[in-house]
Amino acid sequence: MTETLVQSIIQALSGNFGKEAIVFIISMIPILELRGALLVAGPILGVPVARAIPLCIAGNIIPVPFILLLITPIFNWLKKTKYFRPLVTKLENRAMSKSDKIEKYEFWGLVLFVGIPLPGTGAWTGSLIASLLGIRFKKAFPAVIIGIFMATIIMWFVSYVLLGGVQLIG
C-alpha cells in the first residue's frame, strides 16, 4: 500500500515539481514522512544525500508545531459533529494504543517513538500522542525534533548506504 502511495505521489508531482520538491512534499505526508522521503530520495530519485537530508528534516518538522498546538482543539471541535466524531475517535484510539511508552517515559519515550523507524511511529503520530497526553509544547517539540534527527541517521544509512550503494569508506 505504501509503495503504491509513493508511486502515485511521484507520478502526480513529476510533471510540475523537481525531484527535491517531491522529496520535501513526501516528508510532510503522514505515514510516509522523513522515512519514506529518504527512501525515495536516494534509491528512486537519485537526489544527493547532502540535498535530501535538509529537505526531509525541514519537511518533517513543518507539521509538528501545528499538530502539537492545534490538533486537540480541532479534534474537540470535530467530535461535536455527527459526521466526523467516529473518524476522530478512531484516530485518537489508534494513537493512544501506542502511547504507553510515551506516557511512562514522556520526553525519552517520545524521542524513541519518533526516532526508531517502525510502522505506525514518526513525528505525526508522536506529536498527536503528545498532544492527546497533554505533554507541554516545551517538552514535546524538542523530543520530536531529536527523534526526527535520530530517524534521519537511521534512514540515511538504510537509504543511501544499504539500498543506495554508497560506500562509507573510499
Side-chain angles (χ1 to χ4, degrees), residues 6-61:
V6 169
Q7 290 171 345
S8 298
I9 292 168
I10 292 171
Q11 285 178 339
L13 298 177
S14 288
N16 302 315
F17 295 96
K19 294 176 182 180
E20 288 85 358
I22 293 170
V23 169
F24 180 76
I25 291 167
I26 289 173
S27 69
M28 290 192 293
I29 298 173
I31 300 169
L32 299 176
E33 300 188 35
L34 176 135
R35 299 151 161 83
L38 274 175
L39 284 171
V40 167
I44 296 172
L45 295 177
V47 176
V49 69
R51 275 194 248 145
I53 286 178
L55 291 168
C56 290
I57 290 171
N60 205 195
I61 288 173

Short mmCIF file of all heavy atoms in Angstrom, two decimals, residues 6-61:
data_model
loop_
_atom_site.label_atom_id
_atom_site.label_comp_id
_atom_site.label_asym_id
_atom_site.label_seq_id
_atom_site.Cartn_x
_atom_site.Cartn_y
_atom_site.Cartn_z
N VAL A 6 3.42 5.99 -2.66
CA VAL A 6 4.63 6.73 -3.05
C VAL A 6 4.70 6.87 -4.57
O VAL A 6 4.97 7.95 -5.09
CB VAL A 6 5.90 6.03 -2.50
CG1 VAL A 6 7.16 6.62 -3.11
CG2 VAL A 6 5.95 6.12 -0.99
N GLN A 7 4.45 5.78 -5.30
CA GLN A 7 4.49 5.83 -6.76
C GLN A 7 3.44 6.81 -7.30
O GLN A 7 3.72 7.56 -8.23
CB GLN A 7 4.27 4.44 -7.35
CG GLN A 7 5.44 3.51 -7.11
CD GLN A 7 5.12 2.06 -7.51
OE1 GLN A 7 3.98 1.69 -7.71
NE2 GLN A 7 6.17 1.26 -7.62
N SER A 8 2.26 6.81 -6.70
CA SER A 8 1.20 7.73 -7.14
C SER A 8 1.60 9.18 -6.90
O SER A 8 1.36 10.04 -7.75
CB SER A 8 -0.10 7.44 -6.39
OG SER A 8 -0.53 6.14 -6.67
N ILE A 9 2.20 9.44 -5.76
CA ILE A 9 2.63 10.81 -5.43
C ILE A 9 3.73 11.26 -6.40
O ILE A 9 3.68 12.37 -6.93
CB ILE A 9 3.11 10.90 -3.97
CG1 ILE A 9 1.93 10.71 -3.02
CG2 ILE A 9 3.81 12.23 -3.70
CD1 ILE A 9 2.31 10.50 -1.58
N ILE A 10 4.70 10.39 -6.65
CA ILE A 10 5.78 10.73 -7.57
C ILE A 10 5.22 11.01 -8.96
O ILE A 10 5.58 12.00 -9.60
CB ILE A 10 6.85 9.62 -7.60
CG1 ILE A 10 7.60 9.56 -6.27
CG2 ILE A 10 7.83 9.85 -8.75
CD1 ILE A 10 8.52 8.36 -6.12
N GLN A 11 4.32 10.16 -9.44
CA GLN A 11 3.73 10.36 -10.77
C GLN A 11 2.93 11.65 -10.83
O GLN A 11 3.00 12.40 -11.81
CB GLN A 11 2.84 9.18 -11.14
CG GLN A 11 3.62 7.95 -11.54
CD GLN A 11 2.70 6.77 -11.86
OE1 GLN A 11 1.56 6.72 -11.43
NE2 GLN A 11 3.22 5.81 -12.60
N ALA A 12 2.17 11.94 -9.77
CA ALA A 12 1.33 13.14 -9.76
C ALA A 12 2.17 14.42 -9.74
O ALA A 12 1.79 15.43 -10.35
CB ALA A 12 0.39 13.11 -8.55
N LEU A 13 3.30 14.38 -9.07
CA LEU A 13 4.11 15.59 -8.91
C LEU A 13 5.21 15.75 -9.95
O LEU A 13 5.72 16.86 -10.15
CB LEU A 13 4.73 15.61 -7.52
CG LEU A 13 3.77 15.64 -6.33
CD1 LEU A 13 4.54 15.57 -5.02
CD2 LEU A 13 2.89 16.88 -6.37
N SER A 14 5.59 14.67 -10.60
CA SER A 14 6.75 14.69 -11.50
C SER A 14 6.70 15.75 -12.59
O SER A 14 7.70 16.36 -12.91
CB SER A 14 6.96 13.32 -12.14
OG SER A 14 7.45 12.43 -11.18
N GLY A 15 5.57 15.97 -13.19
CA GLY A 15 5.48 16.94 -14.27
C GLY A 15 5.61 18.38 -13.81
O GLY A 15 6.04 19.25 -14.56
N ASN A 16 5.24 18.65 -12.57
CA ASN A 16 5.18 20.03 -12.09
C ASN A 16 6.28 20.40 -11.10
O ASN A 16 6.51 21.58 -10.87
CB ASN A 16 3.83 20.29 -11.42
CG ASN A 16 2.67 20.04 -12.36
OD1 ASN A 16 2.71 20.46 -13.50
ND2 ASN A 16 1.66 19.34 -11.90
N PHE A 17 6.90 19.42 -10.50
CA PHE A 17 7.89 19.69 -9.46
C PHE A 17 9.18 18.93 -9.73
O PHE A 17 9.17 17.84 -10.29
CB PHE A 17 7.35 19.24 -8.08
CG PHE A 17 6.16 20.02 -7.62
CD1 PHE A 17 4.87 19.54 -7.82
CD2 PHE A 17 6.31 21.24 -6.98
CE1 PHE A 17 3.77 20.25 -7.40
CE2 PHE A 17 5.21 21.97 -6.56
CZ PHE A 17 3.93 21.47 -6.76
N GLY A 18 10.28 19.50 -9.28
CA GLY A 18 11.57 18.83 -9.38
C GLY A 18 11.70 17.74 -8.33
O GLY A 18 10.87 17.62 -7.42
N LYS A 19 12.76 16.97 -8.44
CA LYS A 19 12.99 15.85 -7.52
C LYS A 19 13.08 16.32 -6.07
O LYS A 19 12.54 15.67 -5.18
CB LYS A 19 14.28 15.12 -7.90
CG LYS A 19 14.24 14.41 -9.22
CD LYS A 19 15.59 13.81 -9.55
CE LYS A 19 15.56 13.15 -10.91
NZ LYS A 19 16.86 12.55 -11.25
N GLU A 20 13.76 17.43 -5.85
CA GLU A 20 13.91 17.94 -4.48
C GLU A 20 12.57 18.34 -3.87
O GLU A 20 12.31 18.07 -2.71
CB GLU A 20 14.89 19.12 -4.44
CG GLU A 20 16.33 18.73 -4.64
CD GLU A 20 16.76 18.63 -6.11
OE1 GLU A 20 15.90 18.83 -7.00
OE2 GLU A 20 17.93 18.32 -6.35
N ALA A 21 11.72 18.97 -4.66
CA ALA A 21 10.40 19.37 -4.17
C ALA A 21 9.56 18.14 -3.83
O ALA A 21 8.82 18.14 -2.84
CB ALA A 21 9.69 20.24 -5.20
N ILE A 22 9.67 17.10 -4.65
CA ILE A 22 8.93 15.86 -4.38
C ILE A 22 9.39 15.25 -3.05
O ILE A 22 8.56 14.84 -2.24
CB ILE A 22 9.11 14.86 -5.55
CG1 ILE A 22 8.42 15.41 -6.81
CG2 ILE A 22 8.56 13.48 -5.17
CD1 ILE A 22 8.72 14.64 -8.08
N VAL A 23 10.69 15.24 -2.82
CA VAL A 23 11.23 14.71 -1.57
C VAL A 23 10.70 15.53 -0.39
O VAL A 23 10.25 14.99 0.62
CB VAL A 23 12.78 14.72 -1.60
CG1 VAL A 23 13.36 14.44 -0.22
CG2 VAL A 23 13.28 13.70 -2.61
N PHE A 24 10.71 16.85 -0.52
CA PHE A 24 10.22 17.74 0.53
C PHE A 24 8.74 17.48 0.83
O PHE A 24 8.34 17.35 1.99
CB PHE A 24 10.44 19.19 0.11
CG PHE A 24 9.97 20.20 1.11
CD1 PHE A 24 10.70 20.45 2.26
CD2 PHE A 24 8.81 20.92 0.89
CE1 PHE A 24 10.28 21.40 3.19
CE2 PHE A 24 8.37 21.86 1.81
CZ PHE A 24 9.11 22.11 2.95
N ILE A 25 7.93 17.38 -0.20
CA ILE A 25 6.48 17.16 -0.04
C ILE A 25 6.21 15.80 0.61
O ILE A 25 5.40 15.71 1.54
CB ILE A 25 5.75 17.30 -1.39
CG1 ILE A 25 5.80 18.76 -1.85
CG2 ILE A 25 4.31 16.79 -1.30
CD1 ILE A 25 5.40 18.99 -3.30
N ILE A 26 6.90 14.76 0.16
CA ILE A 26 6.69 13.44 0.74
C ILE A 26 7.04 13.44 2.23
O ILE A 26 6.37 12.79 3.03
CB ILE A 26 7.50 12.36 -0.02
CG1 ILE A 26 6.88 12.14 -1.40
CG2 ILE A 26 7.56 11.05 0.75
CD1 ILE A 26 7.67 11.23 -2.32
N SER A 27 8.06 14.19 2.62
CA SER A 27 8.47 14.21 4.02
C SER A 27 7.42 14.86 4.92
O SER A 27 7.45 14.67 6.14
CB SER A 27 9.82 14.91 4.19
OG SER A 27 9.70 16.29 3.93
N MET A 28 6.47 15.60 4.35
CA MET A 28 5.41 16.23 5.14
C MET A 28 4.15 15.36 5.25
O MET A 28 3.27 15.68 6.03
CB MET A 28 5.03 17.58 4.53
CG MET A 28 6.09 18.63 4.68
SD MET A 28 5.52 20.29 4.27
CE MET A 28 5.22 20.14 2.53
N ILE A 29 4.09 14.29 4.49
CA ILE A 29 2.87 13.48 4.42
C ILE A 29 2.84 12.47 5.57
O ILE A 29 3.81 11.75 5.79
CB ILE A 29 2.78 12.76 3.06
CG1 ILE A 29 2.69 13.79 1.93
CG2 ILE A 29 1.60 11.79 3.02
CD1 ILE A 29 2.77 13.19 0.54
N PRO A 30 1.71 12.41 6.29
CA PRO A 30 1.62 11.40 7.37
C PRO A 30 1.84 10.00 6.81
O PRO A 30 1.56 9.73 5.66
CB PRO A 30 0.18 11.54 7.88
CG PRO A 30 -0.38 12.75 7.25
CD PRO A 30 0.48 13.14 6.11
N ILE A 31 2.33 9.13 7.61
CA ILE A 31 2.67 7.74 7.30
C ILE A 31 4.03 7.68 6.58
O ILE A 31 4.90 6.95 7.00
CB ILE A 31 1.60 6.98 6.47
CG1 ILE A 31 0.28 6.95 7.23
CG2 ILE A 31 2.06 5.57 6.16
CD1 ILE A 31 -0.88 6.48 6.41
N LEU A 32 4.22 8.47 5.53
CA LEU A 32 5.47 8.43 4.77
C LEU A 32 6.58 9.20 5.50
O LEU A 32 7.65 8.67 5.76
CB LEU A 32 5.27 8.99 3.37
CG LEU A 32 4.28 8.26 2.50
CD1 LEU A 32 4.09 8.97 1.18
CD2 LEU A 32 4.70 6.82 2.30
N GLU A 33 6.33 10.47 5.74
CA GLU A 33 7.24 11.34 6.47
C GLU A 33 8.69 11.26 5.97
O GLU A 33 8.95 10.93 4.82
CB GLU A 33 7.17 11.05 7.97
CG GLU A 33 5.80 11.24 8.57
CD GLU A 33 5.76 11.13 10.07
OE1 GLU A 33 6.72 11.56 10.73
OE2 GLU A 33 4.76 10.63 10.59
N LEU A 34 9.62 11.58 6.83
CA LEU A 34 11.04 11.57 6.51
C LEU A 34 11.50 10.19 6.07
O LEU A 34 12.31 10.06 5.16
CB LEU A 34 11.83 12.02 7.75
CG LEU A 34 13.34 12.00 7.66
CD1 LEU A 34 13.91 13.27 8.23
CD2 LEU A 34 13.91 10.81 8.38
N ARG A 35 10.97 9.16 6.71
CA ARG A 35 11.38 7.79 6.40
C ARG A 35 11.13 7.46 4.93
O ARG A 35 11.99 6.97 4.23
CB ARG A 35 10.61 6.80 7.27
CG ARG A 35 10.84 6.99 8.73
CD ARG A 35 9.58 6.53 9.49
NE ARG A 35 9.84 6.25 10.88
CZ ARG A 35 9.87 7.16 11.82
NH1 ARG A 35 9.70 8.42 11.53
NH2 ARG A 35 10.08 6.82 13.07
N GLY A 36 9.94 7.73 4.48
CA GLY A 36 9.58 7.47 3.09
C GLY A 36 10.30 8.39 2.13
O GLY A 36 10.71 7.98 1.04
N ALA A 37 10.46 9.64 2.53
CA ALA A 37 11.11 10.61 1.66
C ALA A 37 12.57 10.25 1.41
O ALA A 37 13.06 10.36 0.28
CB ALA A 37 11.00 12.01 2.25
N LEU A 38 13.28 9.81 2.44
CA LEU A 38 14.68 9.42 2.24
C LEU A 38 14.80 8.16 1.40
O LEU A 38 15.72 8.03 0.60
CB LEU A 38 15.40 9.25 3.57
CG LEU A 38 15.99 10.53 4.16
CD1 LEU A 38 16.59 10.27 5.53
CD2 LEU A 38 17.01 11.17 3.25
N LEU A 39 13.86 7.24 1.56
CA LEU A 39 13.87 6.04 0.73
C LEU A 39 13.63 6.39 -0.74
O LEU A 39 14.20 5.77 -1.63
CB LEU A 39 12.81 5.04 1.20
CG LEU A 39 13.15 4.26 2.46
CD1 LEU A 39 11.94 3.48 2.95
CD2 LEU A 39 14.33 3.33 2.22
N VAL A 40 12.79 7.37 -0.98
CA VAL A 40 12.51 7.82 -2.34
C VAL A 40 13.68 8.65 -2.87
O VAL A 40 14.07 8.50 -4.03
CB VAL A 40 11.20 8.65 -2.37
CG1 VAL A 40 11.03 9.38 -3.68
CG2 VAL A 40 10.01 7.75 -2.11
N ALA A 41 14.23 9.52 -2.03
CA ALA A 41 15.28 10.45 -2.47
C ALA A 41 16.49 9.73 -3.03
O ALA A 41 16.95 10.05 -4.12
CB ALA A 41 15.70 11.35 -1.31
N GLY A 42 17.02 8.77 -2.28
CA GLY A 42 18.25 8.11 -2.69
C GLY A 42 18.05 7.11 -3.81
O GLY A 42 18.36 7.37 -4.97
N PRO A 43 17.53 5.94 -3.48
CA PRO A 43 17.45 4.86 -4.46
C PRO A 43 16.52 5.14 -5.65
O PRO A 43 16.79 4.69 -6.75
CB PRO A 43 16.91 3.69 -3.65
CG PRO A 43 17.20 4.01 -2.23
CD PRO A 43 17.17 5.50 -2.13
N ILE A 44 15.45 5.89 -5.48
CA ILE A 44 14.47 6.05 -6.55
C ILE A 44 14.72 7.32 -7.39
O ILE A 44 14.78 7.26 -8.61
CB ILE A 44 13.02 6.03 -6.00
CG1 ILE A 44 12.74 4.67 -5.38
CG2 ILE A 44 12.01 6.36 -7.09
CD1 ILE A 44 11.44 4.56 -4.64
N LEU A 45 14.87 8.46 -6.72
CA LEU A 45 15.01 9.72 -7.45
C LEU A 45 16.46 10.14 -7.67
O LEU A 45 16.74 11.02 -8.48
CB LEU A 45 14.26 10.85 -6.72
CG LEU A 45 12.74 10.70 -6.65
CD1 LEU A 45 12.13 11.83 -5.83
CD2 LEU A 45 12.14 10.66 -8.04
N GLY A 46 17.38 9.55 -6.93
CA GLY A 46 18.79 9.89 -7.11
C GLY A 46 19.17 11.28 -6.61
O GLY A 46 20.10 11.88 -7.11
N VAL A 47 18.44 11.79 -5.62
CA VAL A 47 18.78 13.09 -5.03
C VAL A 47 19.98 12.90 -4.12
O VAL A 47 19.96 12.02 -3.25
CB VAL A 47 17.59 13.68 -4.24
CG1 VAL A 47 17.97 14.98 -3.55
CG2 VAL A 47 16.38 13.87 -5.15
N PRO A 48 21.02 13.69 -4.30
CA PRO A 48 22.21 13.54 -3.45
C PRO A 48 21.88 13.73 -1.97
O PRO A 48 21.03 14.53 -1.61
CB PRO A 48 23.14 14.66 -3.93
CG PRO A 48 22.66 15.02 -5.29
CD PRO A 48 21.19 14.74 -5.31
N VAL A 49 22.55 12.97 -1.14
CA VAL A 49 22.28 12.95 0.29
C VAL A 49 22.39 14.34 0.92
O VAL A 49 21.61 14.70 1.79
CB VAL A 49 23.18 11.92 1.01
CG1 VAL A 49 24.64 12.35 1.00
CG2 VAL A 49 22.72 11.67 2.43
N ALA A 50 23.35 15.15 0.46
CA ALA A 50 23.54 16.48 1.03
C ALA A 50 22.35 17.40 0.77
O ALA A 50 22.10 18.33 1.53
CB ALA A 50 24.81 17.11 0.47
N ARG A 51 21.59 17.13 -0.28
CA ARG A 51 20.38 17.90 -0.56
C ARG A 51 19.16 17.25 0.07
O ARG A 51 18.25 17.94 0.52
CB ARG A 51 20.16 18.04 -2.06
CG ARG A 51 20.92 19.21 -2.63
CD ARG A 51 20.45 19.54 -4.02
NE ARG A 51 21.56 19.20 -4.90
CZ ARG A 51 21.45 18.71 -6.11
NH1 ARG A 51 20.28 18.49 -6.63
NH2 ARG A 51 22.50 18.44 -6.82
N ALA A 52 19.12 15.93 0.09
CA ALA A 52 17.94 15.22 0.56
C ALA A 52 17.72 15.39 2.07
O ALA A 52 16.59 15.61 2.51
CB ALA A 52 18.05 13.74 0.22
N ILE A 53 18.78 15.27 2.85
CA ILE A 53 18.61 15.29 4.31
C ILE A 53 18.01 16.61 4.81
O ILE A 53 17.02 16.57 5.54
CB ILE A 53 19.93 14.92 5.01
CG1 ILE A 53 20.14 13.41 4.86
CG2 ILE A 53 19.92 15.33 6.48
CD1 ILE A 53 21.42 12.87 5.46
N PRO A 54 18.53 17.78 4.44
CA PRO A 54 17.90 19.01 4.92
C PRO A 54 16.44 19.16 4.47
O PRO A 54 15.59 19.63 5.23
CB PRO A 54 18.76 20.14 4.35
CG PRO A 54 20.04 19.51 3.94
CD PRO A 54 19.75 18.07 3.67
N LEU A 55 16.16 18.74 3.24
CA LEU A 55 14.78 18.82 2.74
C LEU A 55 13.85 17.93 3.55
O LEU A 55 12.73 18.33 3.91
CB LEU A 55 14.72 18.40 1.27
CG LEU A 55 15.37 19.34 0.26
CD1 LEU A 55 15.49 18.67 -1.10
CD2 LEU A 55 14.59 20.63 0.17
N CYS A 56 14.30 16.72 3.84
CA CYS A 56 13.48 15.77 4.60
C CYS A 56 13.27 16.23 6.04
O CYS A 56 12.16 16.13 6.57
CB CYS A 56 14.13 14.38 4.60
SG CYS A 56 14.08 13.58 2.99
N ILE A 57 14.31 16.74 6.65
CA ILE A 57 14.19 17.23 8.03
C ILE A 57 13.22 18.41 8.08
O ILE A 57 12.29 18.43 8.90
CB ILE A 57 15.56 17.61 8.61
CG1 ILE A 57 16.40 16.34 8.84
CG2 ILE A 57 15.41 18.40 9.90
CD1 ILE A 57 17.85 16.62 9.22
N ALA A 58 13.41 19.38 7.20
CA ALA A 58 12.53 20.55 7.19
C ALA A 58 11.08 20.16 6.92
O ALA A 58 10.16 20.61 7.62
CB ALA A 58 13.01 21.56 6.14
N GLY A 59 10.88 19.32 5.94
CA GLY A 59 9.52 18.89 5.62
C GLY A 59 8.86 18.12 6.74
O GLY A 59 7.66 18.26 6.98
N ASN A 60 9.63 17.32 7.46
CA ASN A 60 9.07 16.53 8.55
C ASN A 60 8.78 17.40 9.78
O ASN A 60 7.85 17.13 10.54
CB ASN A 60 10.02 15.40 8.91
CG ASN A 60 9.34 14.21 9.57
OD1 ASN A 60 10.00 13.37 10.15
ND2 ASN A 60 8.03 14.12 9.51
N ILE A 61 9.56 18.47 9.96
CA ILE A 61 9.37 19.35 11.12
C ILE A 61 8.17 20.28 10.94
O ILE A 61 7.46 20.57 11.91
CB ILE A 61 10.65 20.18 11.40
CG1 ILE A 61 11.74 19.26 11.97
CG2 ILE A 61 10.36 21.32 12.36
CD1 ILE A 61 13.09 19.94 12.14
#
